[in-house]
Amino acid sequence: MGENTILITGGCGFIGTNLVEAALQDGYTVGNLDKLTYAGRLDPPHSPRCFSPYVFRQGDICDIPLVKGFLENLKPSAVVHLAAETHVDRSIDAPEKFVQNNILGTHALLRAVLQYWRQLPEEERYAFRFLHVSTDEVFGSLGPEGFFQESTPYAPRSPYAASKASSDHMVRAYGHTYGLPVIVSNCSNNYGPFQYPEKLIPLAINRAIRGQTIPVYGDGQNIRDWIYVEDHCRALLSILRKGRTGETYLVGGNSEKSNLEVIRSICSILDELHPRADRRGYIQQLTFVQDRPGHDRRYAVNATKIMLELGWKPRVRFNEGIRRTVEWYLSQQRWVEEMLSGKYGLERLGIPKNGVIP
């Protein structure tokens, strides 16, 4: 087993793509297991600093023999579990997919990893880590004050959040019952390069430059704590290196913004970098639309534990990160078009049909 060999599930998704590159830059040998669903794209690591070995295997985490075979060939010292359905609006339209992939998929992965871990020599079993990457949405909605803590009770309020809460509990159960060395992280809203265009920030950018309306749900005052994906990846690697088994670490950017603030920032940057032909501001394309059913009002994360215990802190402030993100999407329109390619047309998702949520 290679001490610096890790398996990343979902390594072709948004966070996964960035984590694969960050891990390779840090000298890890990386195995990437990804189903290549609509939001995944098989791109090679992009940085010229990536010199470490990289192995990709297309497959479903629900396929226990496939996962176990990949583990036995790769011989990782850690698994970072990112493979999941992640879009709240899609979970409103098709909750069964989130149950299948996030709950049953996580359970199948745990079964395969447990079998692999049990046959390792004692010293390697002790060093092994299973890092389950989750979301702050499992904690529900906050009022105008306060923060989520590691001890905050779970109160998921969307099918997506409920599926992630269930997978969190299953991971902890495998740690408690079977002794598997597990760690859970719950992160706030990520943004940055390679995010599928259905999410708020890339959706706003790409609809804006195509002359379409920029939708704002409800009154636009729903608040999220935003973290640049590069900072999240550094946090995950810090947890792998120094995190304690059985623990939970909350990861946040300490950057609360309302949806309306985020979109105003995007419009301002686009006005500067990609002005409209008529020289009028992009903000005129903003349109308030029907709110998401059950839309949580506010998330905010207290990341003190990971800062004090592991020495991690976010480096990229929102003003810098959002500019980097707009610049990236402006320069990567071919990637955007290839990702969309008939699978998604930047339309609104998660609208109840005839007033009834499926």
Side-chain angles (χ1 to χ4, degrees):
M1 182 173 75
E3 183 178 343
N4 286 326
T5 301
I6 61 176
L7 168 62
I8 298 173
T9 69
C12 293
F14 165 43
I15 298 172
T17 297
N18 285 278
L19 181 61
V20 164
E21 190 158 330
L24 290 170
Q25 290 176 19
D26 264 17
Y28 286 94
T29 295
V30 175
N32 175 8
L33 177 65
D34 197 291
K35 190 177 177 180
L36 291 180
T37 60
Y38 76 94
R41 179 173 168 80
L42 183 56
D43 288 313
H46 292 77
S47 172
R49 294 176 290 173
C50 294
F51 298 115
S52 298
Y54 170 73
V55 181
F56 171 74
R57 175 72 58 84
Q58 182 173 356
D60 191 335
I61 57 174
C62 292
D63 187 339
I64 295 175
L66 181 146
V67 174
K68 192 166 183 289
F70 194 27
L71 286 164
E72 290 171 347
N73 288 328
L74 186 67
K75 296 180 172 58
S77 59
V79 172
V80 185
H81 179 33
L82 281 159
E85 296 282 346
T86 65
H87 191 36
V88 175
D89 286 356
R90 286 185 187 268
S91 81
I92 294 170
D93 287 341
E96 62 279 355
K97 292 182 179 179
F98 288 71
V99 171
Q100 176 65 39
N101 294 327
N102 296 358
I103 301 175
L104 300 181
T106 296
H107 179 246
L109 177 66
L110 285 164
R111 286 184 63 193
V113 172
L114 182 64
Q115 293 173 31
Y116 165 76
W117 174 75
R118 280 177 165 168
Q119 54 83 38
L120 293 174
E122 183 177 355
E123 185 176 343
E124 294 181 7
R125 285 202 309 271
Y126 179 79
F128 187 83
R129 297 290 183 270
F130 182 97
L131 172 54
H132 175 62
V133 183
S134 190
T135 172
D136 60 355
E137 297 193 36
V138 299
F139 300 117
S141 186
L142 286 168
E145 298 179 351
F147 298 89
F148 295 136
Q149 317 274 353
E150 281 80 6
S151 59
T152 300
Y154 276 33
R157 290 152 55 98
S158 71
Y160 163 63
S163 71
K164 291 299 290 185
S166 179
S167 65
D168 291 7
H169 290 320
M170 189 64 71
V171 169
R172 293 191 180 99
Y174 265 67
H176 179 77
T177 304
Y178 304 111
L180 188 67
V182 303
I183 305 174
V184 176
S185 66
N186 298 86
C187 191
S188 59
N189 277 40
N190 281 236
Y191 69 102
F194 297 105
Q195 189 170 33
Y196 191 72
E198 66 191 357
K199 300 296 178 69
L200 173 67
I201 288 176
L203 180 72
I205 295 169
N206 287 294
R207 285 186 64 93
I209 63 177
R210 286 163 174 74
Q212 300 171 342
T213 58
I214 306 170
V216 180
Y217 291 3
D219 62 4
Q221 295 306 314
N222 299 79
I223 293 172
R224 300 294 182 261
D225 175 17
W226 293 93
I227 184 170
Y228 193 61
V229 66
E230 178 184 293
D231 280 332
H232 185 199
C233 291
R234 286 193 308 102
L236 294 175
L237 294 177
S238 293
I239 294 170
L240 271 187
R241 287 191 296 267
K242 299 180 285 185
R244 293 180 290 138
T245 58
E247 292 293 321
T248 299
Y249 295 92
L250 264 57
V251 183
N254 192 28
S255 185
E256 290 184 58
K257 303 286 180 184
S258 71
N259 290 347
L260 191 55
E261 287 180 279
V262 170
I263 290 176
R264 288 187 184 280
S265 296
I266 290 169
C267 290
S268 177
I269 295 168
L270 285 174
D271 287 342
E272 175 189 345
L273 301 180
H274 192 271
R276 287 167 44 120
D278 61 8
R279 298 294 170 174
R280 300 173 67 184
Y282 281 97
I283 198 65
Q284 71 169 5
Q285 293 171 225
L286 184 150
T287 303
F288 291 93
V289 299
Q290 178 188 353
D291 204 355
R292 168 189 290 162
H295 198 178
D296 289 345
R297 193 62 170 174
R298 175 176 171 258
Y299 303 148
V301 168
N302 182 341
T304 299
K305 179 177 177 178
I306 190 174
M307 293 180 184
L308 293 179
E309 289 192 11
L310 308 186
W312 172 91
K313 64 179 180 179
R315 294 175 181 170
V316 182
R317 299 178 67 86
F318 183 79
N319 288 346
E320 175 188 352
I322 194 65
R323 176 173 283 270
R324 285 193 202 177
T325 302
V326 172
E327 290 173 344
W328 189 87
Y329 280 99
L330 288 176
S331 68
Q332 298 293 328
Q333 281 300 295
R334 181 176 177 180
W335 179 89
V336 172
E337 295 298 338
E338 289 176 353
M339 286 297 290
L340 298 177
S341 63
K343 294 180 288 187
Y344 175 57
L346 302 175
E347 69 272 13
R348 170 75 188 274
L349 300 171
I351 302 175
K353 306 298 188 295
N354 300 319
V356 178
I357 300 174

